[in-house]
Amino acid sequence: MAKIVFIDTGHVERIVDAMNGQSVMDAARRNSIPGITAECGGACACGTCHVYIDEAWFSALGERKAAEVEMLEYASDVRENSRLACQIKMSSALDGLVVRTPERQG
Amino acid sequence: MTKDSDAQRVVIIGAGHAGGTAAALLRQYCPEWSITLVGEEPVPPYQRPPLSKAWLKGEADADGLALKPSSFYVEQNITLLSGSRVVGIERGEQRVHVAGGASIPYDYLVIATGARAIPLRTPGADLRGIMSLRTAADAEALKAAICPGQSIAVVGAGYIGLEVAASCRSLGMNVTVLERETRVLARVACEALSSFFTDVHEKQGVHFELGSSVVAFEGERGQVTGVTLADGRTLPCSAVVVGVGAAPDEELAREAGLECDRGVLVDLDARTSDPKIFAIGDVTRRPMPIYNCMFRMESVPNALEQAKQAASAIAGRSRPSVEVPWQWSDQYDLKLQIAGYPFDADSIVVRGDPRQSRFAVFHLNGDLVQAVEAINAVPEFMTGRILIGNRKAIDRRKLADASVSMKEVCA
């Protein structure tokens, strides 16, 4: 189990428990976290689970696959620390991961 | 005096992807209104796409499929009636009748009853082990029937058929796909794509019988043991999945006198022929402004778009802008993404190399992109989708040249 701290554009923090192997998108959906649409349900097909990963954590995540990098090019307000939440798998090493949701998806 | 913002009552018939999304949006737009979501299935709204993929392969659990956790409906004050079947709509009284006798009044009604898998009527079709795949219950039965080393027959080489074939093959079953057309994905993709997918599956060891009709199912003690083809051969199998299409569940609408034509007819507000009644998702036939025609789509993006249209119209908000239709299918490690439909297309441009499993087929009307089918080609899909929507003419030579970036093609 690991905790994820979601922070929205209004600076509201919501902390959820995620299971090892579960994606950040999935954890968000199961806990009704607003700001992540995930239209395709995690198939890396839509780009609407775009999130910003806190600088301190970014390098702890794995490398982005080509499909994710390409998909991110079409999201809004993409930054250096942008990721697709459906492609980040949680583990105890990521306990306390801080994830910020964007102004809008798509 | 009644104000527009006085709490109204919305009833949604059908708690699938469209219905569930409409309920959540309505609550967001109308915090004080009464929202009732009635679904025949015994579970809260969930996603169907993983049923043929992650679910079969044991990579997803029931909670993972749910659109929202059960607590969401309670917290958001959405009355969710699962396992309840609506048996009639009384338009004059503005009530829906539920099996068992209860009736629910509405100010606005949303019909989101979806579609049902079309069954086969061939002799033996009622044998145990012959399944379709539409609901979570279907998927559980199919998952239980998967057994490495055993044989499964898949009838229909559409998305369902091919995704099930890929999943079952990955799990070690012997898979035969039976298709009455001469190519796979005949209704939804072009020939180049059909050949590509047939090759991919065959390389994985899936066997195809194309241009082939099932004339009967054989069985022993009520359980299917084989499929008999028109040429007389019987292929042994321990299970069959039938994926030959879905029919819209329009009966309630038709019986209530709403206009239907192979689906409930709606406009771009998802409104039916009754101004208080809306219809969304797989059950509808709707305008396609980009193609100037009516069409019945079966896709998650359409369900989401129409949920937004209906919720916006009911809440008195401005109509959302029209979206370019799109869909996806995952088979093995291939991602097929399709935007648009090849209506009125007069030519094709292939970009990339099918042998590298990374390419796209563009369908053009003159120099306008009508549709794009992309395999592991995200920029082609995403840019193609934009081009279909903005109707911008492109240079075909640049499009065909994979060394020219899609950004440059659009410039």
Side-chain angles (χ1 to χ4, degrees):
Chain A
M1 290 283 272
K3 292 210 184 303
I4 307 174
V5 180
F6 288 99
I7 306 178
D8 66 18
T9 47
H11 305 293
V12 174
E13 264 190 29
R14 296 175 178 88
I15 303 178
V16 312
D17 285 319
M19 307 210 291
N20 289 347
Q22 189 175 45
S23 74
V24 169
M25 181 278 290
D26 198 29
R29 189 157 40 86
R30 289 186 200 227
N31 290 278
S32 302
I33 299 294
I36 295 177
T37 316
E39 281 180 8
C40 75
C44 199
C46 71
T48 63
C49 64
H50 173 215
V51 293
Y52 305 114
I53 297 300
D54 204 70
E55 313 283 320
W57 290 98
F58 196 74
S59 48
L61 304 181
E63 281 289 307
R64 287 178 291 194
K65 287 194 311 229
E68 181 185 350
V69 174
E70 289 173 331
M71 196 56 86
L72 273 169
E73 285 185 38
Y74 299 90
S76 325
D77 192 11
V78 175
R79 304 173 192 166
E80 295 266 319
N81 59 340
S82 284
R83 291 293 309 253
L84 290 184
C86 68
Q87 299 300 300
I88 306 170
K89 297 281 182 274
M90 287 304 291
S91 68
S92 11
L94 297 178
D95 189 18
L97 180 69
V98 179
V99 178
R100 286 182 168 77
T101 51
E103 193 68 56
R104 51 172 271 249
Q105 294 288 352
Chain B
M1 180 181 79
T2 46
K3 299 175 297 187
D4 282 343
S5 57
D6 271 0
Q8 302 274 287
R9 299 158 304 183
V10 184
V11 175
I12 302 169
I13 308 175
H17 217 130
T21 303
L25 283 172
L26 278 163
R27 177 51 77 227
Q28 200 186 311
Y29 299 162
C30 311
E32 305 301 321
W33 288 21
S34 156
I35 300 172
T36 304
L37 180 55
V38 190
E40 232 179 347
E41 293 184 66
V43 290
Y46 61 91
Q47 313 166 67
R48 295 190 205 282
L51 296 182
S52 53
K53 303 180 282 282
W55 172 262
L56 288 185
K57 295 190 278 189
E59 294 162 9
D61 60 9
D63 286 344
L65 294 187
L67 287 187
K68 306 273 191 199
S70 300
S71 53
F72 172 83
Y73 304 96
V74 174
E75 285 157 15
Q76 297 293 320
N77 199 21
I78 294 171
T79 303
L80 173 59
L81 302 175
S82 301
S84 291
R85 192 166 60 90
V86 171
V87 296
I89 299 170
E90 214 183 326
R91 287 163 60 190
E93 296 289 308
Q94 291 187 204
R95 296 186 153 273
V96 303
H97 295 278
V98 182
S103 75
I104 311 173
Y106 66 83
D107 294 302
Y108 294 101
L109 181 64
V110 181
I111 297 172
T113 46
R116 62 186 172 279
I118 295 171
L120 289 180
R121 304 272 181 225
T122 36
D126 53 355
L127 287 164
R128 280 193 315 276
I130 298 177
M131 301 166 273
S132 27
L133 182 57
R134 176 78 191 175
T135 66
D138 293 340
E140 279 230 38
L142 175 52
K143 190 169 172 189
I146 292 184
C147 191
Q150 297 218 355
S151 297
I152 189 165
V154 176
V155 182
Y159 288 133
I160 297 285
L162 292 189
E163 287 185 354
V164 170
S167 299
C168 290
R169 187 70 197 125
S170 305
L171 294 167
M173 292 197 80
N174 298 317
V175 181
T176 301
V177 176
L178 303 144
E179 167 57 55
R180 72 167 175 203
E181 302 295 333
T182 51
R183 60 187 181 94
V184 307
L185 298 174
R187 268 189 306 138
V188 295
C190 67
E191 287 202 33
L193 233 69
S194 297
S195 314
F196 175 78
F197 274 102
T198 307
D199 269 349
V200 167
H201 279 268
E202 283 180 332
K203 283 198 175 78
Q204 293 288 334
V206 170
H207 178 67
F208 286 91
E209 296 281 345
L210 299 175
S212 201
S213 295
V214 174
V215 299
F217 294 100
E218 312 301 323
E220 245 168 73
R221 289 190 293 267
Q223 174 76 27
V224 70
T225 55
V227 180
T228 302
L229 308 182
D231 64 9
R233 283 178 297 144
T234 296
L235 308 178
C237 59
S238 58
V240 178
V241 176
V242 177
V244 299
D249 282 322
E250 61 175 35
E251 289 70 28
L252 277 176
R254 232 179 331 100
E255 281 157 15
L258 296 173
E259 279 175 31
C260 298
D261 172 15
R262 297 158 296 154
V264 181
L265 296 174
V266 295
D267 62 14
L268 288 173
D269 286 323
R271 203 183 299 257
T272 69
S273 48
D274 181 323
K276 299 291 198 159
I277 303 181
F278 295 76
I280 59 179
D282 288 2
V283 74
T284 70
R285 184 168 295 273
R286 55 160 285 180
M288 306 278 281
I290 296 171
Y291 305 102
N292 208 27
C293 69
M294 299 287 283
F295 195 59
R296 189 175 75 80
M297 284 191 273
E298 293 176 349
S299 72
V300 164
N302 180 58
L304 299 180
E305 185 188 11
Q306 288 188 301
K308 242 183 294 196
Q309 289 174 346
S312 300
I314 290 171
R317 290 162 75 110
S318 56
R319 181 187 280 183
S321 36
V322 167
E323 295 172 18
V324 174
W326 67 278
Q327 48 202 306
W328 81 92
S329 174
D330 292 331
Q331 298 164 42
Y332 307 108
D333 62 352
L334 293 174
K335 180 171 301 303
L336 166 62
Q337 291 169 298
I338 297 180
Y341 290 92
F343 299 147
D344 301 327
D346 51 34
S347 70
I348 279 179
V349 169
V350 178
R351 177 186 166 89
D353 186 359
R355 289 165 306 177
Q356 302 297 321
S357 292
R358 195 202 153 93
F359 69 104
V361 179
F362 288 85
H363 297 262
L364 302 166
N365 180 324
D367 291 327
L368 296 178
V369 179
Q370 300 291 91
V372 58
E373 296 157 312
I375 306 280
N376 291 351
V378 168
E380 281 74 6
F381 167 69
M382 297 298 267
T383 313
R385 204 163 77 161
I386 294 167
L387 288 168
I388 294 164
N390 68 18
R391 310 316 282 143
K392 187 173 166 182
I394 48 87
D395 181 333
R396 308 166 60 96
R397 278 168 313 133
K398 283 188 183 166
L399 185 64
D401 184 351
S403 67
V404 176
S405 74
M406 284 307 294
K407 274 199 177 69
E408 267 190 75
V409 170
C410 290

